[in-house]
Amino acid sequence: MALNDLGQGLREPSADAQPSRPAPYLQVSGLDAGYNRVPVVRGVSLQVALGEVVLVMGPNGAGKSTLVKAVTGELPALAGRVVLGGRDVTAAREEDRSRAGVGYVPQLRDVFGPLTVTENLQMGGYQLTKKEVAARQEEVFSLFPALSTMRRRLARSLSGGERKMLAIGRALMAQPKLMVLDEPTANLAPAIARNVLHGIVASLAGSGRAVLLVEQRVSLGLEVASWGYVLTDGRVRLAEPCKALQSRPDLGTLFLGHGGSELGTGLQEARGGASR
């Protein structure tokens, strides 16, 4: 079934119709972004408050990674605005956004394989003094005690879950207020994926950070997030509280016909795992 055949289920979300939400720390308004000045995402608006996990979901090719790169400054915006803590950072470079409080964990190349755990963390604190690096490093080890026992191990020798802990720990070295996580459970076993989302991601929001989460394990993502955005063909098609999205029988259908059969698989996998 094509998305255009779903009628009312694909109406653009109306701000007036949405329930009230906390004041945003990250506010994206009418964002266009892409490559060679050709937009991949068009007119995207979303917000994330401190202490909130917001989930962005959609099929492969929907524009999720392009959106993330535009939010973090890796890609320039072609139109629209990105506001962080009341400051317009639309024209700011990636490094400047990092200084302004953006922590980014990409899906790929999230750690430096030839470096040790300690060296990876030091790379995350490259803008800090030696004293600050040492203090922040111990804070990360306190948050992830398993990493403390692996200080001298090379990152490439870590398991998938350990690598993800290290990647998130490296991003936390700069004490960001916004964490942007692009597919943090990619290639992880279901049990480890659940621990990453329910343990690590939920704790980031619990510590008062804003978390923008892109995740293909949709059922698991909906369990930890408070608000969700469905992205297809570069546009936001649904924006609803996660509890409302969980109860939608057509959620998987929204992705079918647009390269999104993986969503249905992800829903079935998560629901099956929860029932075992």
PDB file of all heavy atoms in Angstrom, residues 215-241:
ATOM      1  N   GLU A 215      15.997   5.691  15.647  1.00  0.00           N
ATOM      2  CA  GLU A 215      16.037   4.273  16.009  1.00  0.00           C
ATOM      3  C   GLU A 215      15.141   3.454  15.101  1.00  0.00           C
ATOM      4  O   GLU A 215      13.999   3.827  14.827  1.00  0.00           O
ATOM      5  CB  GLU A 215      15.597   4.115  17.472  1.00  0.00           C
ATOM      6  CG  GLU A 215      15.616   2.700  17.991  1.00  0.00           C
ATOM      7  CD  GLU A 215      16.970   2.028  17.818  1.00  0.00           C
ATOM      8  OE1 GLU A 215      17.976   2.548  18.329  1.00  0.00           O
ATOM      9  OE2 GLU A 215      16.999   0.973  17.149  1.00  0.00           O
ATOM     10  N   GLN A 216      15.681   2.311  14.615  1.00  0.00           N
ATOM     11  CA  GLN A 216      14.904   1.403  13.780  1.00  0.00           C
ATOM     12  C   GLN A 216      14.149   0.356  14.594  1.00  0.00           C
ATOM     13  O   GLN A 216      13.178  -0.213  14.104  1.00  0.00           O
ATOM     14  CB  GLN A 216      15.828   0.694  12.775  1.00  0.00           C
ATOM     15  CG  GLN A 216      16.221   1.568  11.586  1.00  0.00           C
ATOM     16  CD  GLN A 216      15.038   1.945  10.728  1.00  0.00           C
ATOM     17  OE1 GLN A 216      14.436   2.994  10.921  1.00  0.00           O
ATOM     18  NE2 GLN A 216      14.679   1.111   9.776  1.00  0.00           N
ATOM     19  N   ARG A 217      14.592   0.082  15.802  1.00  0.00           N
ATOM     20  CA  ARG A 217      13.830  -0.807  16.686  1.00  0.00           C
ATOM     21  C   ARG A 217      12.708   0.034  17.304  1.00  0.00           C
ATOM     22  O   ARG A 217      12.796   0.511  18.431  1.00  0.00           O
ATOM     23  CB  ARG A 217      14.740  -1.418  17.738  1.00  0.00           C
ATOM     24  CG  ARG A 217      15.620  -2.561  17.203  1.00  0.00           C
ATOM     25  CD  ARG A 217      16.442  -3.138  18.350  1.00  0.00           C
ATOM     26  NE  ARG A 217      16.988  -4.439  18.032  1.00  0.00           N
ATOM     27  CZ  ARG A 217      18.235  -4.647  17.567  1.00  0.00           C
ATOM     28  NH1 ARG A 217      19.019  -3.620  17.324  1.00  0.00           N
ATOM     29  NH2 ARG A 217      18.662  -5.868  17.318  1.00  0.00           N
ATOM     30  N   VAL A 218      11.662   0.187  16.527  1.00  0.00           N
ATOM     31  CA  VAL A 218      10.659   1.186  16.843  1.00  0.00           C
ATOM     32  C   VAL A 218       9.935   0.888  18.150  1.00  0.00           C
ATOM     33  O   VAL A 218       9.705   1.783  18.965  1.00  0.00           O
ATOM     34  CB  VAL A 218       9.660   1.324  15.670  1.00  0.00           C
ATOM     35  CG1 VAL A 218       8.523   2.265  16.032  1.00  0.00           C
ATOM     36  CG2 VAL A 218      10.389   1.834  14.436  1.00  0.00           C
ATOM     37  N   SER A 219       9.553  -0.347  18.370  1.00  0.00           N
ATOM     38  CA  SER A 219       8.834  -0.683  19.602  1.00  0.00           C
ATOM     39  C   SER A 219       9.667  -0.346  20.833  1.00  0.00           C
ATOM     40  O   SER A 219       9.155   0.214  21.806  1.00  0.00           O
ATOM     41  CB  SER A 219       8.445  -2.157  19.620  1.00  0.00           C
ATOM     42  OG  SER A 219       7.340  -2.391  18.792  1.00  0.00           O
ATOM     43  N   LEU A 220      10.953  -0.676  20.804  1.00  0.00           N
ATOM     44  CA  LEU A 220      11.818  -0.353  21.925  1.00  0.00           C
ATOM     45  C   LEU A 220      11.975   1.155  22.076  1.00  0.00           C
ATOM     46  O   LEU A 220      11.961   1.692  23.189  1.00  0.00           O
ATOM     47  CB  LEU A 220      13.192  -0.999  21.743  1.00  0.00           C
ATOM     48  CG  LEU A 220      13.289  -2.503  21.994  1.00  0.00           C
ATOM     49  CD1 LEU A 220      14.703  -2.993  21.710  1.00  0.00           C
ATOM     50  CD2 LEU A 220      12.887  -2.847  23.418  1.00  0.00           C
ATOM     51  N   GLY A 221      12.138   1.843  20.946  1.00  0.00           N
ATOM     52  CA  GLY A 221      12.260   3.297  20.996  1.00  0.00           C
ATOM     53  C   GLY A 221      11.032   3.956  21.582  1.00  0.00           C
ATOM     54  O   GLY A 221      11.119   4.894  22.380  1.00  0.00           O
ATOM     55  N   LEU A 222       9.859   3.460  21.201  1.00  0.00           N
ATOM     56  CA  LEU A 222       8.613   4.021  21.716  1.00  0.00           C
ATOM     57  C   LEU A 222       8.474   3.800  23.220  1.00  0.00           C
ATOM     58  O   LEU A 222       7.787   4.566  23.900  1.00  0.00           O
ATOM     59  CB  LEU A 222       7.421   3.402  20.989  1.00  0.00           C
ATOM     60  CG  LEU A 222       7.236   3.814  19.523  1.00  0.00           C
ATOM     61  CD1 LEU A 222       6.146   2.972  18.869  1.00  0.00           C
ATOM     62  CD2 LEU A 222       6.906   5.299  19.408  1.00  0.00           C
ATOM     63  N   GLU A 223       9.101   2.759  23.736  1.00  0.00           N
ATOM     64  CA  GLU A 223       9.018   2.482  25.169  1.00  0.00           C
ATOM     65  C   GLU A 223       9.796   3.499  26.002  1.00  0.00           C
ATOM     66  O   GLU A 223       9.428   3.763  27.150  1.00  0.00           O
ATOM     67  CB  GLU A 223       9.541   1.071  25.464  1.00  0.00           C
ATOM     68  CG  GLU A 223       8.634  -0.042  24.954  1.00  0.00           C
ATOM     69  CD  GLU A 223       9.258  -1.417  25.123  1.00  0.00           C
ATOM     70  OE1 GLU A 223      10.347  -1.504  25.742  1.00  0.00           O
ATOM     71  OE2 GLU A 223       8.676  -2.397  24.635  1.00  0.00           O
ATOM     72  N   VAL A 224      10.865   4.059  25.452  1.00  0.00           N
ATOM     73  CA  VAL A 224      11.700   4.979  26.241  1.00  0.00           C
ATOM     74  C   VAL A 224      11.453   6.439  25.900  1.00  0.00           C
ATOM     75  O   VAL A 224      11.801   7.325  26.689  1.00  0.00           O
ATOM     76  CB  VAL A 224      13.200   4.663  26.075  1.00  0.00           C
ATOM     77  CG1 VAL A 224      13.503   3.253  26.540  1.00  0.00           C
ATOM     78  CG2 VAL A 224      13.657   4.857  24.647  1.00  0.00           C
ATOM     79  N   ALA A 225      10.879   6.715  24.721  1.00  0.00           N
ATOM     80  CA  ALA A 225      10.651   8.096  24.294  1.00  0.00           C
ATOM     81  C   ALA A 225       9.278   8.576  24.734  1.00  0.00           C
ATOM     82  O   ALA A 225       8.357   7.793  24.950  1.00  0.00           O
ATOM     83  CB  ALA A 225      10.788   8.204  22.776  1.00  0.00           C
ATOM     84  N   SER A 226       9.139   9.893  24.856  1.00  0.00           N
ATOM     85  CA  SER A 226       7.845  10.475  25.212  1.00  0.00           C
ATOM     86  C   SER A 226       7.108  11.006  23.987  1.00  0.00           C
ATOM     87  O   SER A 226       5.877  11.103  24.003  1.00  0.00           O
ATOM     88  CB  SER A 226       8.039  11.606  26.225  1.00  0.00           C
ATOM     89  OG  SER A 226       8.892  12.610  25.697  1.00  0.00           O
ATOM     90  N   TRP A 227       7.848  11.330  22.953  1.00  0.00           N
ATOM     91  CA  TRP A 227       7.246  11.912  21.757  1.00  0.00           C
ATOM     92  C   TRP A 227       7.918  11.309  20.532  1.00  0.00           C
ATOM     93  O   TRP A 227       9.118  11.041  20.561  1.00  0.00           O
ATOM     94  CB  TRP A 227       7.418  13.430  21.740  1.00  0.00           C
ATOM     95  CG  TRP A 227       6.484  14.129  20.797  1.00  0.00           C
ATOM     96  CD1 TRP A 227       6.687  14.358  19.465  1.00  0.00           C
ATOM     97  CD2 TRP A 227       5.202  14.673  21.086  1.00  0.00           C
ATOM     98  NE1 TRP A 227       5.614  15.014  18.923  1.00  0.00           N
ATOM     99  CE2 TRP A 227       4.682  15.221  19.897  1.00  0.00           C
ATOM    100  CE3 TRP A 227       4.439  14.748  22.255  1.00  0.00           C
ATOM    101  CZ2 TRP A 227       3.440  15.845  19.829  1.00  0.00           C
ATOM    102  CZ3 TRP A 227       3.196  15.376  22.188  1.00  0.00           C
ATOM    103  CH2 TRP A 227       2.710  15.912  20.986  1.00  0.00           C
ATOM    104  N   GLY A 228       7.151  11.088  19.467  1.00  0.00           N
ATOM    105  CA  GLY A 228       7.711  10.485  18.266  1.00  0.00           C
ATOM    106  C   GLY A 228       7.339  11.222  17.003  1.00  0.00           C
ATOM    107  O   GLY A 228       6.240  11.785  16.899  1.00  0.00           O
ATOM    108  N   TYR A 229       8.266  11.208  16.060  1.00  0.00           N
ATOM    109  CA  TYR A 229       8.054  11.791  14.733  1.00  0.00           C
ATOM    110  C   TYR A 229       8.274  10.702  13.696  1.00  0.00           C
ATOM    111  O   TYR A 229       9.307  10.022  13.724  1.00  0.00           O
ATOM    112  CB  TYR A 229       9.033  12.936  14.467  1.00  0.00           C
ATOM    113  CG  TYR A 229       8.826  14.151  15.343  1.00  0.00           C
ATOM    114  CD1 TYR A 229       9.412  14.226  16.608  1.00  0.00           C
ATOM    115  CD2 TYR A 229       8.055  15.228  14.908  1.00  0.00           C
ATOM    116  CE1 TYR A 229       9.240  15.336  17.419  1.00  0.00           C
ATOM    117  CE2 TYR A 229       7.879  16.344  15.712  1.00  0.00           C
ATOM    118  CZ  TYR A 229       8.471  16.391  16.960  1.00  0.00           C
ATOM    119  OH  TYR A 229       8.284  17.495  17.758  1.00  0.00           O
ATOM    120  N   VAL A 230       7.321  10.532  12.799  1.00  0.00           N
ATOM    121  CA  VAL A 230       7.454   9.584  11.693  1.00  0.00           C
ATOM    122  C   VAL A 230       7.888  10.359  10.467  1.00  0.00           C
ATOM    123  O   VAL A 230       7.198  11.269  10.008  1.00  0.00           O
ATOM    124  CB  VAL A 230       6.132   8.840  11.419  1.00  0.00           C
ATOM    125  CG1 VAL A 230       6.293   7.905  10.222  1.00  0.00           C
ATOM    126  CG2 VAL A 230       5.693   8.051  12.645  1.00  0.00           C
ATOM    127  N   LEU A 231       9.057   9.993   9.939  1.00  0.00           N
ATOM    128  CA  LEU A 231       9.634  10.675   8.790  1.00  0.00           C
ATOM    129  C   LEU A 231       9.570   9.754   7.584  1.00  0.00           C
ATOM    130  O   LEU A 231      10.052   8.617   7.633  1.00  0.00           O
ATOM    131  CB  LEU A 231      11.093  11.036   9.100  1.00  0.00           C
ATOM    132  CG  LEU A 231      11.800  12.048   8.212  1.00  0.00           C
ATOM    133  CD1 LEU A 231      11.207  13.441   8.414  1.00  0.00           C
ATOM    134  CD2 LEU A 231      13.296  12.064   8.530  1.00  0.00           C
ATOM    135  N   THR A 232       8.950  10.199   6.494  1.00  0.00           N
ATOM    136  CA  THR A 232       8.960   9.463   5.231  1.00  0.00           C
ATOM    137  C   THR A 232       9.157  10.455   4.107  1.00  0.00           C
ATOM    138  O   THR A 232       8.631  11.566   4.138  1.00  0.00           O
ATOM    139  CB  THR A 232       7.648   8.680   4.996  1.00  0.00           C
ATOM    140  OG1 THR A 232       6.551   9.597   4.948  1.00  0.00           O
ATOM    141  CG2 THR A 232       7.405   7.668   6.097  1.00  0.00           C
ATOM    142  N   ASP A 233       9.924  10.052   3.112  1.00  0.00           N
ATOM    143  CA  ASP A 233      10.195  10.908   1.957  1.00  0.00           C
ATOM    144  C   ASP A 233      10.668  12.296   2.371  1.00  0.00           C
ATOM    145  O   ASP A 233      10.355  13.299   1.731  1.00  0.00           O
ATOM    146  CB  ASP A 233       8.948  11.031   1.077  1.00  0.00           C
ATOM    147  CG  ASP A 233       8.567   9.706   0.440  1.00  0.00           C
ATOM    148  OD1 ASP A 233       9.480   8.888   0.206  1.00  0.00           O
ATOM    149  OD2 ASP A 233       7.370   9.482   0.195  1.00  0.00           O
ATOM    150  N   GLY A 234      11.429  12.367   3.454  1.00  0.00           N
ATOM    151  CA  GLY A 234      12.012  13.625   3.884  1.00  0.00           C
ATOM    152  C   GLY A 234      11.084  14.571   4.605  1.00  0.00           C
ATOM    153  O   GLY A 234      11.470  15.701   4.909  1.00  0.00           O
ATOM    154  N   ARG A 235       9.876  14.131   4.909  1.00  0.00           N
ATOM    155  CA  ARG A 235       8.909  15.005   5.582  1.00  0.00           C
ATOM    156  C   ARG A 235       8.363  14.328   6.831  1.00  0.00           C
ATOM    157  O   ARG A 235       8.273  13.107   6.900  1.00  0.00           O
ATOM    158  CB  ARG A 235       7.748  15.353   4.647  1.00  0.00           C
ATOM    159  CG  ARG A 235       8.165  16.124   3.403  1.00  0.00           C
ATOM    160  CD  ARG A 235       6.932  16.496   2.567  1.00  0.00           C
ATOM    161  NE  ARG A 235       7.297  17.152   1.324  1.00  0.00           N
ATOM    162  CZ  ARG A 235       7.531  18.459   1.200  1.00  0.00           C
ATOM    163  NH1 ARG A 235       7.406  19.239   2.261  1.00  0.00           N
ATOM    164  NH2 ARG A 235       7.860  18.976   0.030  1.00  0.00           N
ATOM    165  N   VAL A 236       7.990  15.144   7.825  1.00  0.00           N
ATOM    166  CA  VAL A 236       7.325  14.614   9.011  1.00  0.00           C
ATOM    167  C   VAL A 236       5.875  14.328   8.650  1.00  0.00           C
ATOM    168  O   VAL A 236       5.127  15.222   8.256  1.00  0.00           O
ATOM    169  CB  VAL A 236       7.388  15.620  10.176  1.00  0.00           C
ATOM    170  CG1 VAL A 236       6.556  15.118  11.353  1.00  0.00           C
ATOM    171  CG2 VAL A 236       8.833  15.841  10.615  1.00  0.00           C
ATOM    172  N   ARG A 237       5.480  13.057   8.766  1.00  0.00           N
ATOM    173  CA  ARG A 237       4.120  12.647   8.415  1.00  0.00           C
ATOM    174  C   ARG A 237       3.238  12.494   9.639  1.00  0.00           C
ATOM    175  O   ARG A 237       2.020  12.636   9.547  1.00  0.00           O
ATOM    176  CB  ARG A 237       4.155  11.320   7.651  1.00  0.00           C
ATOM    177  CG  ARG A 237       4.999  11.364   6.390  1.00  0.00           C
ATOM    178  CD  ARG A 237       4.460  12.354   5.371  1.00  0.00           C
ATOM    179  NE  ARG A 237       5.208  12.288   4.125  1.00  0.00           N
ATOM    180  CZ  ARG A 237       4.887  12.944   3.018  1.00  0.00           C
ATOM    181  NH1 ARG A 237       3.819  13.730   3.005  1.00  0.00           N
ATOM    182  NH2 ARG A 237       5.627  12.828   1.934  1.00  0.00           N
ATOM    183  N   LEU A 238       3.835  12.161  10.769  1.00  0.00           N
ATOM    184  CA  LEU A 238       3.095  12.049  12.021  1.00  0.00           C
ATOM    185  C   LEU A 238       3.962  12.610  13.137  1.00  0.00           C
ATOM    186  O   LEU A 238       5.179  12.404  13.148  1.00  0.00           O
ATOM    187  CB  LEU A 238       2.764  10.591  12.343  1.00  0.00           C
ATOM    188  CG  LEU A 238       1.626   9.910  11.591  1.00  0.00           C
ATOM    189  CD1 LEU A 238       1.574   8.435  11.981  1.00  0.00           C
ATOM    190  CD2 LEU A 238       0.296  10.579  11.889  1.00  0.00           C
ATOM    191  N   ALA A 239       3.343  13.299  14.076  1.00  0.00           N
ATOM    192  CA  ALA A 239       4.028  13.785  15.269  1.00  0.00           C
ATOM    193  C   ALA A 239       3.051  13.630  16.417  1.00  0.00           C
ATOM    194  O   ALA A 239       2.071  14.372  16.511  1.00  0.00           O
ATOM    195  CB  ALA A 239       4.454  15.237  15.102  1.00  0.00           C
ATOM    196  N   GLU A 240       3.309  12.640  17.280  1.00  0.00           N
ATOM    197  CA  GLU A 240       2.365  12.312  18.340  1.00  0.00           C
ATOM    198  C   GLU A 240       3.102  11.828  19.577  1.00  0.00           C
ATOM    199  O   GLU A 240       4.256  11.386  19.487  1.00  0.00           O
ATOM    200  CB  GLU A 240       1.408  11.198  17.897  1.00  0.00           C
ATOM    201  CG  GLU A 240       0.448  11.582  16.793  1.00  0.00           C
ATOM    202  CD  GLU A 240      -0.517  10.445  16.452  1.00  0.00           C
ATOM    203  OE1 GLU A 240      -0.389   9.335  17.029  1.00  0.00           O
ATOM    204  OE2 GLU A 240      -1.395  10.679  15.612  1.00  0.00           O
ATOM    205  N   PRO A 241       2.439  11.871  20.741  1.00  0.00           N
ATOM    206  CA  PRO A 241       3.028  11.221  21.921  1.00  0.00           C
ATOM    207  C   PRO A 241       3.251   9.745  21.641  1.00  0.00           C
ATOM    208  O   PRO A 241       2.487   9.117  20.907  1.00  0.00           O
ATOM    209  CB  PRO A 241       1.953  11.428  23.006  1.00  0.00           C
ATOM    210  CG  PRO A 241       1.139  12.587  22.535  1.00  0.00           C
ATOM    211  CD  PRO A 241       1.150  12.515  21.037  1.00  0.00           C
TER     212      PRO A 241
END
